[in-house]
Amino acid sequence: MRIKLFLLLLFTIVITSSIFAQSEEHTHDHEHDEEAEVHHHEHPGSEIGVGNSIIYFAKEKEFAYGFHIHYVKSIPNSKLGIGFGYERIFDEHGHNTFGPELVYRPIEKLSVSFSPGVTLEDEHPEAKFAAHIETSYEFELHDFHIGPAVGFAYDAEDHHFSIGIHIGYGF
């Protein structure tokens, strides 16, 4: 069952990426060369983003569903943003992770976020240090962007990998 869920998510990412890539190519065909030369993409001042992922716990060798939401404010005239994020993993432990989020955009559509924070489990609500790093590639559609995301997270008891879809709204 879990492998089917993983394959479905992977298929969705590939199809979505292809559709948005074709949409981007079409819009660029109509730009003038002069406009393309002076065109500089400025990321929106603020973003609310969500992520849906399949999580793989390395020590437990188990899969789970993960949901992430964040708010990030871009730092003007830089490739950086800062904000706050929350992740919920729907597994037997009920992981809840909170933390500040630092985002770096090395190139126009690629973002890398780092979030040190704390993890609380449903049954054992003692705070434990956690750190997340995630990379996503964005295809834009007006004020929205969507694309594949991969991540790695560490906490004192385990570490996990994730693959999923990031959807954001910039304003």
Side-chain angles (χ1 to χ4, degrees):
M1 177 63 177
R2 291 181 180 162
I3 192 71
K4 289 180 184 179
L5 186 60
F6 175 76
L7 292 174
L8 178 63
L9 182 61
L10 188 61
F11 177 75
T12 304
I13 291 169
V14 170
I15 295 299
T16 304
S17 298
S18 298
I19 291 169
F20 279 96
Q22 290 175 5
S23 173
E24 287 280 314
E25 287 175 16
H26 180 71
T27 59
H28 289 299
D29 289 343
H30 298 291
E31 291 181 354
H32 295 18
D33 290 337
E34 293 175 335
E35 290 175 8
E37 287 178 7
V38 297
H39 174 73
H40 172 70
H41 177 74
E42 184 71 27
H43 206 75
S46 294
E47 171 192 293
I48 295 175
V50 296
N52 290 290
S53 302
I54 294 193
I55 307 290
Y56 178 73
F57 286 97
K59 288 183 182 177
E60 295 180 5
K61 296 182 178 24
E62 292 183 0
F63 288 91
Y65 167 70
F67 176 79
H68 172 89
I69 186 166
H70 67 255
Y71 168 79
V72 173
K73 176 79 172 150
S74 294
I75 298 172
N77 302 315
S78 79
K79 296 180 177 189
L80 297 174
I82 191 161
F84 191 81
Y86 166 72
E87 178 185 56
R88 169 69 182 194
I89 300 176
F90 296 88
D91 67 344
E92 64 188 45
H93 305 291
H95 289 83
N96 297 282
T97 304
F98 306 85
E101 194 160 333
L102 179 64
V103 176
Y104 174 63
R105 295 179 184 89
I107 60 174
E108 185 175 321
K109 297 176 186 246
L110 181 70
S111 67
V112 179
S113 68
F114 174 69
S115 179
V118 295
T119 295
L120 305 167
E121 294 181 358
D122 290 346
E123 295 178 9
H124 307 292
E126 62 188 54
K128 299 175 198 149
F129 173 77
H132 284 76
I133 187 163
E134 181 178 279
T135 299
S136 63
Y137 192 83
E138 305 168 346
F139 297 95
E140 294 181 12
L141 186 60
H142 304 288
D143 293 335
F144 292 91
H145 57 267
I146 185 171
V150 294
F152 171 79
Y154 165 85
D155 69 40
E157 294 190 12
D158 204 347
H159 57 280
H160 65 263
F161 301 91
S162 62
I163 184 168
I165 298 175
H166 170 84
I167 302 169
Y169 174 71
F171 56 97

